[in-house]
Amino acid sequence: MTTQQDQLIEAFEERADRRRDRRAFFTAALGAAAVGGAFVYADPAKAQALTDADVLNFALNLEYLEAQFYLYAVNGAGLSASLTGAPSGAAGGTVTGGARVDFSGDPLVGAYAREIAADEEAHVKFLRTALGSAAVAMPNINISGDASGPFTAAARAAGVVGATETFNPYADPNSFLLGAFIFEDVGVTAYKGAAPLISNKTFLEAAAGILAVEAYHAAIVRTTLYAKGVSALVDATEKISTARDTLDGSPAEDRVRGIAPDADQGIAPSGSGATLTSNIAPLNANGLAYSRTTGQVLNIVYLNAASATMGGFFPNGVNGNIRSTA
């Protein structure tokens, strides 16, 4: 009997010609821009208007999203109500979708999922404590795996599934890993991009600590997908990566920021035989991770390359002063 996982993999294999050697292209495209090591990721005038609380609340929105996704995948339930409302009294938003994943066929992935879920919940608690009375409530979040949910919309746009097919990240461990892949690399680039906007050194150190953990998470997901040795899964990461590149800005805008137009990378290796090189860490020519502006991050989670204030995983937008992709 054909399982949903088999159907998913078959859908992956109905793909266009894959882009080759993305890492080599990235290195070449970055060129001289990487040599200087100094990039502009945000409009300085806008950056000056932001407070540390604004930046941390932006991060808190992302942590709400990640925590809900992982907790539902592990437990079938999300954050407690005590961790979603604002200290000011504002009630937390609703969560649409979410389901427990059957990890019995891949207990190692289940163990990873439980660790990441606990980490993301801890990040929510930490940021809420650090922000105190300034913490925003959780916005409405959509993590549905049904035909009208954002995971399916993202997968269809990327070409991971067909125009009438559904992508459910809770269907099986492989699907869960691809769902996690959509988030994790974005989290790393978001924290790196936000770091220059934080003036308080204590908050900056805290953000660096979370960034390191998010990078560990991304590496776990990327390594596990790569180690499975399934070409369809590798190709799916390339397609998701291309979609994120398309959402977060045009090549011309990327060049202004000093970002290669193909900066986001899947896990396709380069070389062959004795020269085979994996691509677990998506880095630039200097071995550095790149950054995304808050607007670029919102473009991805809103699933909208245009100016927007809501959509995708945040159907009514995020909470706080940083809400727009513009």
Side-chain angles (χ1 to χ4, degrees), residues 189-201:
T189 57
Y191 273 100
K192 185 168 183 292
L197 306 177
I198 300 175
S199 58
N200 183 291
K201 290 186 177 180

Side-chain angles (χ1 to χ4, degrees), residues 72-90:
Y72 267 96
V74 169
N75 302 321
L79 291 166
S80 67
S82 65
L83 291 176
T84 61
S88 63

Side-chain angles (χ1 to χ4, degrees), residues 115-132:
E115 178 181 4
I116 296 175
D119 293 345
E120 300 299 355
E121 182 175 20
H123 288 169
V124 169
K125 293 177 180 178
F126 174 79
L127 287 173
R128 285 170 60 89
T129 299
L131 284 159

Side-chain angles (χ1 to χ4, degrees), residues 86-120:
S88 63
T94 60
V95 178
T96 301
R100 188 170 185 171
V101 178
D102 181 2
F103 290 112
S104 60
D106 199 333
L108 187 63
V109 174
Y112 291 154
R114 286 186 286 277
E115 178 181 4
I116 296 175
D119 293 345
E120 300 299 355

